Amino acid sequence: GAGVSQSPRYKVAKRGQDVALRCDPISGHVSLFWYQQALGQGPEFLTYFQNEAQLDKSGLPSDRFFAERPEGSVSTLKIQRTQQEDSAVYLCASSASTNNYGYTFGSGTRLTVV
Amino acid sequence: AQSVTQLGSHVSVSEGALVLLRCNYSSSVPPYLFWYVQYPNQGLQLLLKYTTGATLVKGINGFEAEFKKSETSFHLTKPSAHMSDAAEYFCAVNMRFGAGTRLTVKP
């Protein structure tokens, strides 16, 4: 597609519920990042993929967070047993380069845990 | 490891005045440096980037930034602010972001 597509755009989850957030990167893009952006804060790094390989997951805040990109294209961020502090906008970014030459961001998924 | 410090969470300038948004970084590897802009309820848009080569980088909307290795800085400037520049600005090093600076432009 023309840009990075994220779905759903908005998600309301009850505390304790599992959620799955989807990212469709630009076709052919090798690198993919996930970020968490809390209200009024900068994006916080969660994890990085190069093709299907998850090269860095040091930013995942707990073992409730899991990301995958099994075929090197679409990626899913899964959050198990959601908690109120998980409420944030989750951003996905992709790039054709593996050399950090700037990324295209999706519009994000706003997750609200009630 | 990388880290980014943006000095000043809020900057206010008058329309037509110089815009200066400060960014300092630390990086254990050669840094790739970026500035992104985020308008209210919108996604992040790349303003400019430094990878290698010329240290003065020009971006969109009249913004530019200069990489100063000795000062570990990558400050963003624009000679004359427009009302439409009001937004949140984020500096990033190797895709790790600072906390952001909110720019307000007064008429």
Side-chain angles (χ1 to χ4, degrees):
Chain A
V4 178
S5 177
Q6 292 188 246
S7 60
R9 186 74 176 89
Y10 302 92
K11 175 69 178 178
V12 178
K14 292 183 178 179
R15 190 170 52 184
Q17 187 178 1
D18 297 350
V19 298
L21 312 180
R22 177 186 171 103
C23 173
D24 280 89
I26 293 172
S27 180
H29 274 198
V30 170
S31 298
L32 186 147
F33 282 84
W34 281 100
Y35 292 87
Q36 179 190 60
Q37 187 175 21
L39 188 64
Q41 303 295 317
E44 292 286 340
F45 168 79
L46 293 178
T47 187
Y48 166 61
F49 288 88
Q50 191 176 108
N51 296 307
E52 69 278 5
Q54 189 174 20
L55 299 187
D56 187 343
K57 55 181 181 179
S58 62
L60 296 176
S62 76
D63 59 7
R64 296 186 297 103
F65 286 71
F66 173 77
E68 60 183 5
R69 195 185 185 199
E71 298 178 356
S73 55
V74 172
S75 178
T76 303
L77 176 67
K78 298 179 179 178
I79 309 173
Q80 297 177 323
R81 304 181 303 282
T82 53
Q83 301 177 5
Q84 283 193 315
E85 59 262 32
D86 299 335
S87 296
V89 175
Y90 290 85
L91 296 168
C92 176
S94 73
S95 171
S97 167
T98 61
N99 292 323
N100 291 323
Y101 285 168
Y103 286 73
T104 301
F105 278 83
S107 297
T109 294
R110 182 178 296 277
L111 173 65
T112 303
V113 181
V114 297
Chain B
Q2 299 92 40
S3 68
V4 181
T5 302
Q6 291 185 240
L7 301 175
S9 59
H10 290 88
V11 170
S12 181
V13 301
S14 297
E15 190 174 21
L18 172 72
V19 176
L20 171 61
L21 304 182
R22 300 178 187 273
C23 175
N24 288 87
Y25 71 91
S26 65
S27 178
S28 57
V29 298
Y32 294 142
L33 299 158
F34 308 87
W35 276 98
Y36 285 85
V37 61
Q38 188 174 38
Y39 297 100
N41 298 315
Q42 295 189 24
L44 288 158
Q45 180 182 5
L46 180 66
L47 271 179
L48 49 79
K49 62 189 178 189
Y50 167 80
T51 53
T52 58
T55 56
L56 181 62
V57 181
K58 295 187 184 298
I60 62 172
N61 301 340
F63 284 94
E64 63 182 35
E66 186 172 10
F67 169 54
K68 292 187 177 180
K69 184 176 180 179
S70 62
E71 298 177 10
T72 60
S73 69
F74 191 58
H75 301 331
L76 182 71
T77 61
K78 182 174 180 177
S80 176
H82 294 170
M83 297 297 292
S84 60
D85 294 328
E88 189 87 19
Y89 291 80
F90 294 98
C91 179
V93 56
N94 297 342
M95 293 305 285
R96 265 60 168 182
F97 283 77
T101 297
R102 180 170 300 278
L103 176 66
T104 302
V105 183
K106 298 176 292 185

